[in-house]
Amino acid sequence: MKYVLVTGGVVSGLGKGVTASSIGLILKACGLRVTSIKIDPYLNTDAGTMSPFEHGEVYVLDDGGEVDLDLGNYERFLDIKLTRDNNITTGKIYQSVIDKERRGDYLGNTVQVVPHITDAIQEWIERVALIPVDGKEGPADVCVIELGGTIGDIESMPFIEALGQFSYRVGAGNFCLIHVSLVPVLNVVGEQKTKPTQHSVRGLRSLGLTPNILACRSTTELDVNVKEKLSRFCHVPIENIITLYDVSNIWRVPLLLRDQKAHEAILKALNLKSDGFKPALGEWTSRADLCDMLHEPVRIAMVGKYTGLTDSYLSVLKALLHASVACQRKLCINWVPSSDLEDATAKENPDAYRSAWKLLKGADGVLVPGGFGDRGVEGKILAAKYARESRTPYLDANSTEFDPDTQNPCVIFMPEGSKTHMGGTMRLGSRRTYFQSTSSTSAKLYGCKSFIDERHRHRYEVNPDMVQLLEDAGLSFVGKDESGDRMEIIELPSHPYFIGVQFHPEFKSRPGKPSALFLGLVAASCGQLDTLLKKGATKTCRMSNGTSAIKALLYENASKLANGSLDGIYCNGNGLHV
């Protein structure tokens, strides 16, 4: 196993997650199998109880892991399925060590940060690196590890020590360290300053880690003399200093790495011959070019509680981007704080009230993402009411989450949920939804499948006692769980595009493979839904006919199949043949 460690210096928020994802992508494009690990030095066991304002969105994996949003970047860039163990936190490590101590595994020894915590970190990395995440058997070739935070942070010290020991143990030819740092440009003099990166690398070296490659964030490409200065003071070859300057979209970051031959430097550090590995990024390059060429806008109003921090809805934004590029439209987001739509705001802050309604009414489509608690929920309902009256999705319901004493609880707390413990007690991870009919819009968008698997994260559900009443009023529950009692997808058949779901379809959206429901929303918002549904119906029909033809051919040649004389089936312009 080869390991690539990505660390960060100077300041947080430099884009280590996108850099680590891009490194993984170019290595995958070279023909290598890649997995990823994110280390978060906070004491929380996972990201499940964190506020979106503080830490961005909580990303949910197939196995129900509530993890850092960077794992979403890994999955989207590499098209892989990670596990909860691919996100290491201080809380998880200390919990595992304390559990061992309580069981007596340390045989009375004094349990210390070194060696017990550092050993546990190394063992975790080695164990998780072997888990296949790309649907193939056997471990990956390379594991990309991102260390969260900034070099010098107190909470990351045990991980730095563990990784220093780990690099020595696995050997130089199996370990490559890439340090992401900042090279700021002072407006007063207009000069790229190297001193922050010099100090960052000096701090990293003092902790026992030496970078093989410097990835320098800057507004513009680094000057040659700046690279020479960094090489001299940081002891990194000049060809191993990469500039990550500002680009038009994040899909261009892997192309920046490729153009500066970062893959060659990584492969050399890992003792892999670079001659046989050339990044095949043709499709990725075409998508990045297309994204930059789009001019005709599709405007989506995002009505939510956490609009002050866009990372709170990162996967939703990426799913909308994937869908808009597929529809060849430039995505424009109207951020609408849901509380600004409420009557109370009209009295307290009339300007904010008018601005919010103007943004809502100026959109081609409306999206109301999930959120917890009662703040801003009235604004969401008002947005939904407007959307319904202007033939955009709407569901008017009260909930025990917002009003525990309501007389008409359309949404209730799930019986199996815990009201005393918050972490990891929701209905989490991949769950199966069965379509009640293939004629519904959502079923057609999913290719007329009988069922789908999507990721969930919720404590509340539609009250089964209210289902008949809601259906009598015109709503249709077109998707349900395996029991038939839990509602998963709702539509308004009389509406051009009215779909509400219990799950989070944004978590499985990928560049080039957009989420079906987000694609439907964007297509409906720019007048392409009918064409999209017809394409899907034709494709499904062709697949069905092809399957039927194969079955018929096998039936006709059953005797050959039985005695082993049927060599195979092939297709040419005149049809199927044996």
Side-chain angles (χ1 to χ4, degrees), residues 190-256:
E191 181 185 359
Q192 294 173 330
K193 308 301 280 186
T194 64
K195 200 63 81 175
T197 296
Q198 291 181 45
H199 284 296
S200 180
V201 172
R202 186 177 303 153
L204 186 64
R205 291 166 66 90
S206 70
L207 295 170
L209 288 168
T210 300
N212 300 91
I213 298 170
L214 282 182
C216 300
R217 286 285 288 113
S218 185
T219 54
T220 58
E221 191 171 359
L222 293 186
D223 297 333
V224 174
N225 65 310
V226 173
K227 283 189 175 185
E228 291 173 345
K229 191 174 183 180
L230 285 171
S231 177
R232 186 179 308 115
F233 286 100
C234 297
H235 304 171
V236 175
I238 193 169
E239 63 269 17
N240 286 12
I241 298 176
I242 309 299
T243 310
L244 297 177
Y245 54 86
D246 294 347
V247 289
S248 53
N249 65 72
I250 64 167
W251 294 340
R252 293 210 171 275
V253 178
L255 307 182
L256 274 184

Side-chain angles (χ1 to χ4, degrees), residues 414-489:
M414 291 188 299
E416 67 268 35
S418 171
K419 293 189 177 182
T420 57
H421 289 72
M422 295 184 68
T425 59
M426 289 186 276
R427 185 169 179 249
L428 293 164
S430 182
R431 309 282 178 145
R432 184 154 290 182
T433 295
Y434 291 87
F435 288 109
Q436 306 303 297
S437 168
T438 57
S439 62
S440 63
T441 300
S442 52
K444 291 176 182 177
L445 287 169
Y446 278 102
C448 295
K449 297 177 181 177
S450 58
F451 63 84
I452 54 171
D453 295 311
E454 290 282 8
R455 298 177 183 179
H456 292 65
R457 184 176 185 251
H458 63 105
R459 281 192 178 89
Y460 291 80
E461 65 178 343
V462 175
N463 185 351
D465 296 336
M466 300 287 287
V467 169
Q468 190 58 54
L469 185 65
L470 293 169
E471 288 187 331
D472 291 342
L475 295 174
S476 178
F477 291 94
V478 301
K480 300 179 182 181
D481 75 343
E482 65 279 357
S483 70
D485 296 327
R486 184 161 282 154
M487 305 301 113
E488 293 281 0
I489 306 175

Side-chain angles (χ1 to χ4, degrees), residues 17-27 77 250 252-255 257:
V18 174
T19 303
S21 303
S22 301
I23 289 165
L25 178 65
I26 62 169
L27 292 177
F77 271 60
I250 64 167
R252 293 210 171 275
V253 178
L255 307 182
L257 295 172

Side-chain angles (χ1 to χ4, degrees), residues 231-506:
S231 177
R232 186 179 308 115
F233 286 100
C234 297
H235 304 171
V236 175
I238 193 169
E239 63 269 17
N240 286 12
I241 298 176
I242 309 299
T243 310
L244 297 177
Y245 54 86
D246 294 347
V247 289
S248 53
N249 65 72
I250 64 167
W251 294 340
R252 293 210 171 275
V253 178
L255 307 182
L256 274 184
L257 295 172
R258 178 203 61 189
D259 294 344
Q260 297 174 73
K261 301 189 184 326
H263 59 288
E264 292 184 5
I266 297 170
L267 294 171
K268 183 179 179 181
L270 297 176
N271 278 349
L272 295 170
K273 291 183 180 180
S274 59
D275 296 341
F277 297 101
K278 301 294 182 184
L281 290 170
E283 183 181 344
W284 190 272
T285 303
S286 298
R287 190 179 302 115
D289 291 341
L290 175 60
C291 186
D292 286 343
M293 291 189 295
L294 298 174
H295 297 292
E296 190 173 348
V298 57
R299 194 168 294 277
I300 304 294
M302 184 89 80
V303 184
K305 297 170 58 175
Y306 317 115
T307 54
L309 180 66
T310 57
D311 273 359
S312 300
Y313 302 113
L314 184 63
S315 290
V316 173
L317 289 173
K318 298 305 178 187
L320 285 171
L321 176 63
H322 302 160
S324 62
V325 171
C327 291
Q328 299 194 15
R329 292 291 187 273
K330 181 180 177 62
L331 177 65
C332 299
I333 300 292
N334 284 1
W335 292 100
V336 183
S338 57
S339 56
D340 285 358
L341 298 171
E342 297 174 3
D343 293 339
T345 305
K347 298 175 183 178
E348 297 169 4
N349 192 341
D351 290 341
Y353 178 81
R354 284 192 294 269
S355 176
W357 277 101
K358 183 178 179 180
L359 287 170
L360 180 64
K361 292 180 178 180
D364 302 310
V366 177
L367 176 62
V368 181
F372 292 90
D374 58 359
R375 183 181 64 83
V377 72
E378 287 299 326
K380 290 183 178 182
I381 292 174
L382 288 167
K385 181 182 178 183
Y386 161 77
R388 174 177 60 84
E389 292 173 348
S390 59
R391 297 181 64 74
T392 310
Y394 167 68
L395 174 63
D396 190 358
N398 209 343
S399 166
T400 51
E401 180 179 11
F402 312 132
D403 181 5
D405 301 318
T406 179
Q407 299 300 308
N408 298 292
C410 291
V411 178
I412 60 172
F413 194 88
M414 291 188 299
E416 67 268 35
S418 171
K419 293 189 177 182
T420 57
H421 289 72
M422 295 184 68
T425 59
M426 289 186 276
R427 185 169 179 249
L428 293 164
S430 182
R431 309 282 178 145
R432 184 154 290 182
T433 295
Y434 291 87
F435 288 109
Q436 306 303 297
S437 168
T438 57
S439 62
S440 63
T441 300
S442 52
K444 291 176 182 177
L445 287 169
Y446 278 102
C448 295
K449 297 177 181 177
S450 58
F451 63 84
I452 54 171
D453 295 311
E454 290 282 8
R455 298 177 183 179
H456 292 65
R457 184 176 185 251
H458 63 105
R459 281 192 178 89
Y460 291 80
E461 65 178 343
V462 175
N463 185 351
D465 296 336
M466 300 287 287
V467 169
Q468 190 58 54
L469 185 65
L470 293 169
E471 288 187 331
D472 291 342
L475 295 174
S476 178
F477 291 94
V478 301
K480 300 179 182 181
D481 75 343
E482 65 279 357
S483 70
D485 296 327
R486 184 161 282 154
M487 305 301 113
E488 293 281 0
I489 306 175
I490 191 172
E491 291 187 11
L492 185 61
S494 61
H495 198 280
Y497 192 82
F498 184 107
I499 296 177
V501 293
Q502 183 69 79
F503 48 82
H504 288 264
E506 67 271 19

